[in-house]
Amino acid sequence: MEGAGILLPIETAMAREATCGHLLISAARATTLKLANQRDAAVPHAPVMIRGAEPFDLDLAVAVADPALDLANPLKGPFKAEPIAWQEAAEAAMELARIAGILPAFMIAPDHAGEAQPVSPGDLAQWSDPDRLRIATRAKLPVTADDDSELVVFRKPDDMREHCALVIGRQMGGKAPLVRLHSECLTGDILGSLKCDCGPQLDAALAAMAEEAAQGGYGVLLYMRQEGRGIGLINKMRAYRLQDQGFDTIEANERLGLPDEARDFATAARMLDLLGIGEIRLLTNNTKKVVALETHGISIRERVAHELPSNPHNRRYLATKRDRAGHLLT
């Protein structure tokens, strides 16, 4: 990472003999380590550089990085937060960790780190540019909800995540389509998890779009490859472990040093633009989606409520979305 020397992601470090004098962690994680009152650890989700009384070996670095291990490793430190002279590079490193689905924690200039690969903050800006998204291919895809459907697949040149749009019914002018932004959820969509409402939301959205098509309109399901609200499957499971310890959804993400909302709505707007859709009826309870799409040039003619019944396993999750994330739920 330019301006920072060598940063080694703690989660991917292979050399057991690696040691270093400093770690780069998130401010949210620093809060857990009782550094929240120090000036350099005062901004949530910002990078924080810490120094210990002794050098960090890999085992200690892992224990510092992963809050799911706190019960097994309760005594750590003392640590001190220190100023970062390469703030932009540090922020880029934290964001690259989130994109990669690993813990946002790094060993700084470790011994025995291996060969380094140069990365700059400019690389991150180019990688995240939604304008680089293109339609890769499209084909007819009859689905259970409606056999008159087409799947359109999108990809960036340097990003192997394949977002897709399922167009149900005939895409024509006139009535604005019913659109649902649905972020990938392996546990809910495929495995039938009861901890969230993603699976029922997906099924209900497809049914609503099929009904729209039967009335002469059409629907578009944007299926976004951003598991766990953008933190990845492994970190989502880590958050689940923390939830089992009593933390709510947002608290668990914060303890991991990750944002509670990291989804890429700019890419969703770009997908609609590539489909030639500028005005929609959005199927959502999340007002942040409305604001984000409008910010990126999509006109929201109507917000259509999309609420499903709770169950004993997801009741707290839904209450957190309502009370802390601003979702319009009853």
Side-chain angles (χ1 to χ4, degrees):
M1 180 70 70
E2 289 184 4
I6 297 175
L7 294 179
L8 179 64
I10 293 172
E11 187 169 342
T12 62
M14 300 296 292
R16 301 302 305 177
E17 65 271 23
T19 60
C20 66
H22 294 81
L23 300 182
L24 187 71
I25 61 174
S26 74
R29 181 59 177 150
T31 299
T32 306
L33 298 173
K34 310 304 182 186
L35 299 174
N37 293 327
Q38 296 188 31
R39 180 171 55 83
D40 299 291
V43 180
H45 308 302
V48 174
M49 182 169 68
I50 66 170
R51 173 177 57 83
E54 301 290 339
F56 295 97
D57 61 19
L58 187 56
D59 288 338
L60 177 56
V62 169
V64 169
D66 190 351
L69 303 177
D70 283 349
L71 293 180
N73 301 277
L75 300 177
K76 295 182 286 291
F79 304 123
K80 177 177 175 56
E82 297 188 344
I84 302 174
W86 29 275
Q87 186 71 21
E88 186 179 7
E91 291 173 355
M94 305 301 275
E95 180 63 8
L96 286 170
R98 182 196 65 77
I99 291 170
I102 62 176
L103 291 168
F106 298 83
M107 301 180 81
I108 301 175
D111 299 323
H112 309 291
E115 183 178 356
Q117 298 296 320
V119 179
S120 74
D123 296 330
L124 177 61
Q126 184 179 39
W127 191 91
S128 60
D129 183 2
D131 289 339
R132 305 186 74 210
L133 191 74
R134 296 289 184 270
I135 294 177
T137 190
R138 59 199 305 163
K140 293 292 184 183
L141 182 69
V143 296
T144 302
D146 192 297
D147 61 7
D148 187 15
S149 302
E150 181 184 33
L151 191 70
V152 186
V153 185
F154 304 79
R155 191 166 60 193
K156 293 179 184 177
D158 52 357
D159 183 359
M160 295 308 293
R161 292 180 302 173
E162 297 159 334
H163 305 293
C164 61
L166 181 67
V167 181
I168 295 180
R170 298 301 176 98
Q171 185 176 343
M172 299 179 293
K175 188 177 181 182
L178 185 64
V179 173
R180 170 70 181 168
L181 273 62
H182 188 90
S183 295
E184 175 184 38
C185 179
L186 172 72
T187 51
D189 298 343
I190 306 300
L191 303 179
S193 169
L194 298 176
K195 283 182 69 70
C196 64
D197 58 345
C198 298
Q201 280 194 336
L202 177 59
D203 293 340
L206 292 174
M209 291 173 189
E211 183 177 349
E212 190 76 12
Q215 296 175 2
Y218 71 103
V220 180
L221 175 79
L222 301 182
Y223 197 86
M224 312 291 295
R225 300 296 301 277
Q226 41 193 14
E227 179 79 51
R229 290 177 171 259
I231 67 172
L233 179 61
I234 292 175
N235 282 331
K236 180 172 120 175
M237 292 301 101
R238 288 183 172 124
Y240 277 8
R241 287 184 64 183
L242 291 171
Q243 289 171 35
D244 289 341
Q245 295 174 20
F247 300 101
D248 69 24
T249 310
I250 293 176
E251 291 167 343
N253 281 33
E254 288 177 345
R255 289 183 77 87
L256 288 168
L258 296 164
D260 61 274
E261 176 59 271
R263 289 177 289 183
D264 181 6
F265 297 133
T267 291
R270 173 63 175 165
M271 292 166 69
L272 291 170
D273 183 57
L274 290 171
L275 291 172
I277 300 172
E279 185 177 56
I280 66 173
R281 296 161 54 235
L282 186 61
L283 193 62
T284 186
N285 300 317
N286 187 353
T287 56
K288 292 180 182 178
K289 289 184 180 180
V290 175
V291 173
L293 289 180
E294 288 182 333
T295 298
H296 291 93
I298 302 299
S299 175
I300 311 297
R301 178 179 290 184
E302 179 187 4
R303 184 193 69 82
V304 181
H306 192 52
E307 185 175 354
L308 283 301
S310 64
N311 67 62
H313 300 279
N314 70 13
R315 195 164 291 131
R316 188 185 184 196
Y317 163 78
L318 295 176
T320 300
K321 288 207 295 185
R322 179 194 64 211
D323 299 337
R324 300 195 61 188
H327 288 220
L328 301 176
L329 301 171
T330 58

